[in-house]
Amino acid sequence: MLGNPEDKAAAAAAAARPAGARPASPPAAGAMIDVRDVSKSFGSLRVLKNVSMQVDRGQVVVVIGPSGSGKSTLLRCVNRLETVDSGEVVVDGRSLSDPKLNVNAVRREIGVVFQSFNLFPHLTVLSNLTLAPMNVLKLDRAAAEERARRLLEKVGIPDKADALPTQLSGGQQQRVAIARALCMEPRIMLFDEPTSALDPEMIKEVLDVMRDLAREGMTMMVVSHEMGFAREVADRVIFMDQGEIVETGTPEHFFSEPEHERTKRFLGTILRH
Amino acid sequence: MDPIVANLDFLIGGYATTLKLSAGAMALALAIGVLVASVRVWGGRIGSAAGGAYVEFFRNTPLLVQLFFYAVLFAPANLGLSRDPVVVALVGLSVYTGAYVTEVIRSGILSVDQRQSEAARSLGLSQVQTLRRVVLPQAFRTVIPPLGNLSIALVKNTAVASAIGALELLQAGSIVSSRTFRLEPLAGVVVAYLSITIPLAILTGHLERRLRFAR
């Protein structure tokens, strides 16, 4: 269920508020991720400058941009791995700036997949998957393992449950990482360059899993340069450069008629290689 | 061998005390080390400073001086906690060794990639759960060799307890030696220390191989 073109265009327009504009009105009712006028600096380096964007329930938004553009930082602000200097991030109706917020409760609804997988090397694949369900959701071992095995099946590696992460290929490790995030039954999935550390032949197996997730209606925010993936499943693509959202639109828009010179130049480099 | 055989029970009693002192102090030092290292890393500025002060104070003063200090401090005339020199030595050795263990564990914690914590926190694990389930198990595996070193050093340091009157291995051996004017009891003491420290070295190597994991 990816919505008709009009919906997409409307959503694109909503997200393409000019950088620097104050959010004028409350977000659309369906917004799962609502980033409002967020700025963030590391020391004197401004990595996010008045960024506003939304991801609606069930939508897939792909964020592209050169390295150092702030796209990973933006993603990390959504589960408060980074705090914002100004502005606000609202996830599923809860403001992450709220001092009374139980951040662990919000995070358990947001799955994150990292570029470097970040599997726990001292635990087997199965234990990587059951750790959070058993400790956070308090599932008993049998229930957690059943869930874990089901998800390993889903990502196509049911036979690796007892392996250690380092015994797996990069593609397999990343699929385990996706299954580990799904074990918490999150409502949102964040992907931070999930295929950038992978050999070309392993990229497809990871993208296939992500594609299935998107088709099942998962709300997803994906930092990635996989334009083929974006074209197939993204509702919207956001192009960032130097801490700002430069351009937002459908994947088709980016392939056919990108407006800004910076966008054209960037797409030129990633599509040509 | 006669003086050893004639005083075997007495010597074995000292040996048993050294074993108990070593095991007890190592267990306590590990507990102190994990606790203080955690405070040093995650306890903010105050925790870090307090933990640092503990470490620097106790590893930069002689163990013998510390034991003398506790012996007087714990005496009935002062705190009255205990007149048993073995108990005093246990406390002193634990606090002293704990300072070293703290630094070793702290280096282990710092060697665990920050991204491991991020992954754990992203799954909804609390700070304490992350520490206990993800960071510390990896930190421990990294620091098994230096912890093995410290445990061997601790076994040898228990001999210092003889100076405050604890009847441990060295004390027992030297009593027998001076009563009989013979060297064998002290040679036996040396062998007895080796019988503890060499298996410890082997155990360390074994644990290191068994718990090794590639990063």
Side-chain angles (χ1 to χ4, degrees):
Chain A
M1 219 236 25
L2 298 179
N4 59 44
E6 283 85 348
D7 288 346
K8 284 187 185 174
R17 284 191 297 237
R22 297 264 144 201
S25 56
M32 286 290 275
I33 302 172
D34 189 6
V35 176
R36 302 176 185 170
D37 202 24
V38 159
S39 295
K40 165 92 186 165
S41 299
F42 292 121
S44 60
L45 183 69
R46 295 186 65 197
V47 282
L48 294 176
K49 303 170 188 165
N50 304 98
V51 171
S52 293
M53 54 134 340
Q54 293 175 2
V55 183
D56 286 349
R57 192 180 307 275
Q59 269 196 337
V60 177
V61 170
V62 171
V63 184
I64 60 174
S67 65
S69 60
K71 53 197 194 305
S72 285
T73 305
L74 175 65
L75 184 113
R76 290 162 60 85
C77 286
V78 173
N79 82 336
R80 226 174 76 176
L81 280 180
E82 306 285 353
T83 54
V84 303
D85 295 340
S86 67
E88 191 179 24
V89 178
V90 180
V91 175
D92 201 10
R94 284 180 284 195
S95 167
L96 299 190
S97 313
D98 182 352
K100 283 176 294 190
L101 179 82
N102 176 354
V103 72
N104 298 332
V106 175
R107 283 179 175 153
R108 81 181 64 141
E109 311 219 320
I110 307 174
V112 187
V113 176
F114 301 90
Q115 179 179 354
S116 49
F117 327 135
N118 301 354
L119 295 177
F120 306 131
H122 60 300
L123 300 176
T124 63
V125 165
L126 193 68
S127 298
N128 263 275
L129 267 66
T130 57
L131 180 71
M134 289 176 64
N135 285 284
V136 179
L137 305 178
K138 309 294 179 197
L139 292 189
D140 63 38
R141 179 175 296 280
E145 286 188 354
E146 199 247 83
R147 184 184 282 190
R149 288 185 194 279
R150 199 177 65 228
L151 285 164
L152 284 177
E153 185 98 33
K154 181 189 170 93
V155 300
I157 35 178
D159 50 327
K160 298 293 185 188
D162 299 318
L164 285 169
T166 45
Q167 296 167 326
L168 306 182
S169 71
Q172 290 172 331
Q173 289 192 50
Q174 194 60 299
R175 285 185 283 155
V176 170
I178 295 173
R180 179 176 70 176
L182 292 175
C183 250
M184 294 297 287
E185 303 192 329
R187 296 157 63 87
I188 297 170
M189 286 287 284
L190 307 178
F191 294 85
D192 189 3
E193 307 209 27
T195 57
S196 301
L198 297 177
D199 294 337
E201 69 265 29
M202 294 172 181
I203 291 178
K204 183 179 176 296
E205 63 191 47
V206 171
L207 290 181
D208 284 343
V209 171
M210 292 171 62
R211 221 173 263 130
D212 287 345
L213 266 181
R215 295 214 175 92
E216 289 163 19
M218 178 65 79
T219 305
M220 291 164 62
M221 180 169 166
V222 185
V223 170
S224 173
H225 293 158
E226 296 295 336
M227 291 308 286
F229 171 80
R231 178 172 230 166
E232 233 182 295
V233 305
D235 296 282
R236 237 168 344 115
V237 174
I238 292 175
F239 172 61
M240 286 184 76
D241 191 18
Q242 296 179 2
E244 292 173 317
I245 292 181
V246 176
E247 192 165 349
T248 301
T250 60
E252 290 72 28
H253 165 85
F254 275 85
F255 277 106
S256 55
E257 48 190 336
E259 273 169 50
H260 291 78
E261 201 48 46
R262 274 194 285 177
T263 319
K264 283 180 200 160
R265 229 180 302 128
F266 177 73
L267 286 174
T269 58
I270 64 164
L271 292 178
R272 208 177 303 119
H273 80 138
Chain B
M1 293 298 279
D2 287 350
I4 294 181
V5 175
N7 297 285
L8 199 57
D9 286 351
F10 183 68
L11 289 169
I12 285 177
Y15 185 65
T17 300
T18 288
L19 276 178
K20 280 187 251 176
L21 202 50
S22 302
M26 196 60 205
L28 287 172
L30 275 174
I32 292 171
V34 169
L35 196 76
V36 181
S38 301
V39 169
R40 281 205 78 176
V41 177
W42 291 290
R45 199 175 299 171
I46 296 171
S48 172
Y54 158 73
V55 168
E56 297 309 342
F57 185 82
F58 286 96
R59 74 173 176 181
N60 290 317
T61 47
L63 172 61
L64 184 57
V65 176
Q66 291 179 30
L67 291 190
F68 279 159
F69 183 82
Y70 290 121
V72 177
L73 182 71
F74 283 14
N78 292 310
L79 291 181
L81 287 175
S82 173
R83 62 168 78 233
D84 182 349
V86 175
V87 174
V88 173
L90 176 68
V91 172
L93 283 164
S94 303
V95 174
Y96 173 83
T97 309
Y100 288 91
V101 174
T102 296
E103 285 306 271
V104 164
I105 303 244
R106 189 172 72 98
S107 75
I109 290 172
L110 295 179
S111 79
V112 178
D113 194 327
Q114 179 64 31
R115 291 175 292 191
Q116 289 285 309
S117 298
E118 286 186 354
R121 297 305 303 274
S122 295
L123 287 164
L125 267 73
S126 69
Q127 173 94 57
V128 173
Q129 286 171 330
T130 297
L131 219 140
R132 169 147 173 246
R133 305 283 180 185
V134 175
V135 178
L136 285 177
Q138 293 184 52
F140 262 115
R141 283 166 166 77
T142 312
V143 299
I144 285 170
L147 280 183
N149 268 338
L150 286 184
S151 67
I152 289 168
L154 170 61
V155 171
K156 296 184 294 172
N157 281 341
T158 57
V160 178
S162 63
I164 58 167
L167 186 54
E168 40 65 75
L169 182 56
L170 173 61
Q171 182 86 308
S174 48
I175 288 173
V176 173
S177 179
S178 58
R179 263 194 217 138
T180 57
F181 297 104
R182 299 280 293 267
L183 192 61
E184 291 92 330
L186 283 176
V189 165
V190 171
V191 172
Y193 278 116
L194 286 174
S195 78
I196 306 174
T197 50
I198 287 179
L200 266 179
I202 293 169
L203 177 71
T204 304
H206 177 72
L207 279 177
E208 191 187 344
R209 277 187 301 279
R210 204 170 73 89
L211 294 175
R212 180 164 40 203
F213 62 92
R215 280 179 197 277

